[in-house]
Amino acid sequence: MNHDERSVCLGFKRGLSGRCPECGSAAMFSSYLKIVPECPSCGHVLSQYKADDGPAYFTILIIGHALIVPLLFIQAIRTAPVEIVSAILVATIVVAALVLLPLVKGAFVGVQWAVRDRGGA
């Protein structure tokens, strides 16, 4: 691929899989949410992309729409004891947020790469 040809779909897909958006071969993260400063495979500078609060915002948006809203329409949720429902919901929401956050951050950085946005830098 020519390095001048960047698509949002490609950047999103590579970022979602946690791979460098430029080459797609090396890991983007060195730990849970820490992005490597530079791709060890192609040398692309990944530290130029500033995700900041964007991934957290989109994670909350996804969880709110995909988990919380449908639960409002389930009759068992309204009739079950509030302590049980609260415990289950809090645990589910926390696990979903922890699983989604690195995926969303990777996709966020991938889209920034595709549109050549460096997060205000």
Side-chain angles (χ1 to χ4, degrees):
M1 178 181 95
N2 183 349
H3 291 296
D4 291 333
E5 297 174 18
R6 298 179 182 197
S7 74
V8 172
C9 184
L10 180 63
F12 185 86
K13 192 178 354 176
R14 286 180 177 174
L16 192 64
S17 67
R19 298 286 172 203
C20 170
E22 183 77 18
C23 67
S25 62
M28 182 188 311
F29 296 102
S30 62
S31 62
Y32 178 62
L33 290 176
K34 178 108 171 109
I35 295 177
V36 295
E38 186 177 292
C39 176
S41 180
C42 69
H44 186 70
V45 180
L46 295 170
S47 61
Q48 66 184 321
Y49 304 109
K50 305 298 180 203
D52 298 329
D53 292 334
Y57 172 79
F58 284 111
T59 300
I60 291 168
L61 190 70
I62 292 166
I63 289 173
H65 285 86
L67 282 177
I68 305 301
V69 172
L71 291 176
L72 298 174
F73 298 102
I74 298 173
Q75 184 64 28
I77 297 293
R78 288 186 246 152
T79 58
V82 79
E83 297 85 10
I84 294 172
V85 171
S86 296
I88 292 170
L89 285 179
V90 167
T92 304
I93 291 167
V94 167
V95 168
L98 291 173
V99 168
L100 278 177
L101 193 54
L103 299 174
V104 172
K105 184 171 183 173
F108 197 86
V109 169
V111 170
Q112 283 183 314
W113 165 82
V115 298
R116 292 175 161 72
D117 178 26
R118 291 179 174 82

